[in-house]
Amino acid sequence: MIFFLIAALCILLLSLGLLLRPLFFRKQAANTSRRQMNAAIYREELDKLEIERQAGEVDATSYAMAHAELRQRLFQDTQEIDDQASFGSIKKTIAFVCLSIFLLSSAIYFYQGDALKVAEEHAKHPASQADVEKMVSEFAAKMEKDPTNLKGWAMLARSYRVMGRNADALKAYERAGSYIDNQAELLADYADLLATNANGNFAGKPHQLIAQALKLDPNNLLALWLAGSDAFSTNQFELAVLNWEKIVKQLPPQSEEARAVLSSIAEARAKGHLPVPRAVVGKGVSGVITITPELASRIKPDELLMVIARKPGERMPVAVLKTAVSAFPVGFTLDDSLAMNPAALISQQSEVTVEVRISKTGMAKAESGDLLSSQQTVKVGSSNIRLAVDRIQQ
């Protein structure tokens, strides 16, 4: 609070300095009295009259009358009461201005409340959903009066998207016309909207818009995600992995977004039975997986077997093996070729925790009904690990 008051005082002093500068630096001529000014004017008139008399332009009678009249007016306009500076006292003017500004600013400040209270008051009453809807409705009404404002229609479409009004957003994007043709983010958002309204079908215009967005910006995250989803939905798993790996390179390694994308990449690799590049494969871990007889009867052919290795104490896997469930026991190997993040390889770790999960969906997070093994902490390079699937996720 004290810093605000100091800043406000400095601004006030600066403003007063600029405002009163002409008064502080006035020339001495500004203090000439009204009496002196009038006397100088009439003296000039008398001199001019004398020149006209000498030139013969006025006779003696006219000269005497004009001279007497000027002297009379000079006497009336130079009384003692006027013998003061025509602009009054500078000190009084400065004092009056300073006092007025100080009192006015103080009154406004105490009426409105201090800055901290104003900020707290606004924080207590954020814009409600009704307020947001009202603003968007007013903006929509404004756009109806200005239909050629293509940028405005694009902005309105984004606003509708945030509010979940997809049908209205679709209409607004259609009216945005050519404005979005060179906007990769808007093209991708429009494609996402069309695919959402088509129950995830990217065929036709969504596919074209995604391609156009990537042509404008090959690293656009939304366009890359949609391109991968489009490929995944048509069983083009290699293309899906290619697009999604471009996203991972742009995300912080330990972020939730990176984990989600890496999980999707692992799923695409598993479903497409894709070979993983083994250009640089360091040490890993290997072993055998078994399952209790009670749980073996619960397994269905379409379920996935997942072997997950993590750095101890962290959630992000350093290697994940996904494969279709087969007869037990099952051998496994986890190495750098199964890395979720090229910057965090299993070969770079001294030890890892390893577990097995049999999943119905292949999701990264364990779900109710999944079959699990206990976690084991092992040294990287171990080759005789035995993991037993012996419990059910509740």
Side-chain angles (χ1 to χ4, degrees):
M1 188 60 181
I2 187 65
F3 295 107
F4 170 76
L5 292 176
I6 293 174
L9 181 60
C10 291
I11 293 173
L12 177 62
L13 292 175
L14 178 61
S15 301
L16 288 173
L18 294 174
L19 183 64
L20 300 175
R21 185 175 180 276
L23 296 179
F24 283 115
F25 297 98
R26 284 175 53 197
K27 296 180 179 179
Q28 186 65 30
N31 290 324
T32 302
S33 71
R34 185 178 290 108
R35 180 178 181 181
Q36 292 172 326
M37 292 171 61
N38 289 339
I41 292 171
Y42 286 114
R43 188 178 299 111
E44 183 179 351
E45 291 291 327
L46 288 172
D47 291 341
K48 186 184 298 184
L49 181 63
E50 178 63 23
I51 292 172
E52 291 176 351
R53 184 185 69 82
Q54 293 178 359
E57 296 178 3
V58 294
D59 55 29
T61 303
S62 298
Y63 170 79
M65 292 177 60
H67 192 278
E69 181 181 353
L70 284 173
R71 291 179 63 85
Q72 179 64 25
R73 286 166 55 191
L74 174 62
F75 175 75
Q76 293 175 349
D77 291 342
T78 55
Q79 299 179 21
E80 284 296 326
I81 191 171
D82 291 332
D83 197 9
Q84 54 183 322
S86 60
F87 292 102
S89 171
I90 296 177
K91 293 182 179 180
K92 289 182 180 180
T93 302
I94 293 174
F96 176 76
V97 172
C98 292
L99 183 62
S100 298
I101 292 178
F102 175 77
L103 292 177
L104 181 61
S105 59
S106 298
I108 294 174
Y109 176 80
F110 287 111
Y111 176 76
Q112 295 288 344
D114 62 66
L116 183 59
K117 289 182 179 179
V118 171
E120 290 175 350
E121 192 66 24
H122 281 289
K124 290 178 182 177
H125 303 286
S128 64
Q129 181 66 22
D131 293 332
V132 174
E133 291 180 356
K134 181 181 178 182
M135 287 188 290
V136 173
S137 296
E138 291 174 350
F139 184 45
K142 180 180 177 182
M143 290 309 305
E144 291 294 343
K145 298 177 180 179
D146 186 16
T148 60
N149 184 355
L150 302 185
K151 181 179 179 180
W153 285 113
M155 293 173 60
L156 182 61
R158 296 298 293 268
S159 300
Y160 281 142
R161 284 281 277 160
V162 172
M163 297 170 63
R165 295 168 58 177
N166 288 347
D168 291 328
L170 187 59
K171 294 177 183 177
Y173 265 131
E174 290 171 351
R175 299 185 70 172
S178 60
Y179 175 77
I180 67 173
D181 289 347
N182 296 316
Q183 306 284 337
E185 189 68 25
L186 294 178
L187 288 169
D189 189 60
Y190 189 16
D192 186 26
L193 176 61
L194 288 169
T196 300
N197 288 353
N199 297 319
N201 188 349
F202 290 88
K205 191 169 184 178
H207 182 84
Q208 296 170 4
L209 291 173
I210 294 168
Q212 187 177 350
L214 288 175
K215 186 176 181 181
L216 292 169
D217 182 6
N219 294 318
N220 184 274
L221 295 179
L222 179 57
L224 287 170
W225 173 255
L226 294 174
S229 300
D230 182 9
F232 189 93
S233 67
T234 55
N235 296 328
Q236 299 179 70
F237 300 112
E238 186 174 359
L239 181 57
V241 170
L242 179 64
N243 283 293
W244 289 341
E245 284 180 338
K246 293 178 181 178
I247 297 177
V248 174
K249 293 178 182 179
Q250 301 182 59
L251 297 176
Q254 301 300 324
S255 66
E256 291 292 334
E257 294 83 0
R259 295 189 184 111
V261 177
L262 289 170
S263 176
S264 296
I265 291 173
E267 183 180 358
R269 282 174 174 161
K271 287 192 174 184
H273 303 288
L274 300 176
V276 182
R278 295 177 175 269
V280 182
V281 178
K283 293 189 300 181
V285 296
S286 61
V288 177
I289 304 167
T290 60
I291 188 170
T292 62
E294 297 82 11
L295 297 182
S297 61
R298 299 173 61 99
I299 298 176
K300 297 179 181 179
D302 60 345
E303 293 181 337
L304 284 174
L305 173 69
M306 305 171 63
V307 188
I308 306 167
R310 295 183 176 90
K311 184 177 179 180
E314 294 191 2
R315 295 173 54 191
M316 185 69 175
V318 293
V320 175
L321 170 64
K322 286 187 178 183
T323 185
V325 175
S326 59
F328 287 89
V330 179
F332 72 91
T333 298
L334 296 176
D335 55 31
D336 291 346
S337 67
L338 300 174
M340 297 292 289
N341 184 351
L345 302 174
I346 190 172
S347 62
Q348 297 172 344
Q349 316 303 319
S350 59
E351 60 181 17
V352 291
T353 61
V354 185
E355 64 176 324
V356 177
R357 178 155 58 89
I358 299 176
S359 171
K360 298 180 179 65
T361 62
M363 298 298 292
K365 185 178 181 181
E367 298 177 312
S368 177
D370 287 353
L371 307 182
L372 309 173
S373 73
S374 299
Q375 282 189 357
Q376 289 189 33
T377 302
V378 299
K379 291 188 178 299
V380 174
S382 301
S383 59
N384 57 350
I385 305 168
R386 298 188 67 84
L387 298 171
V389 179
D390 55 7
R391 61 192 180 90
I392 302 174
Q393 175 71 25
Q394 301 299 321

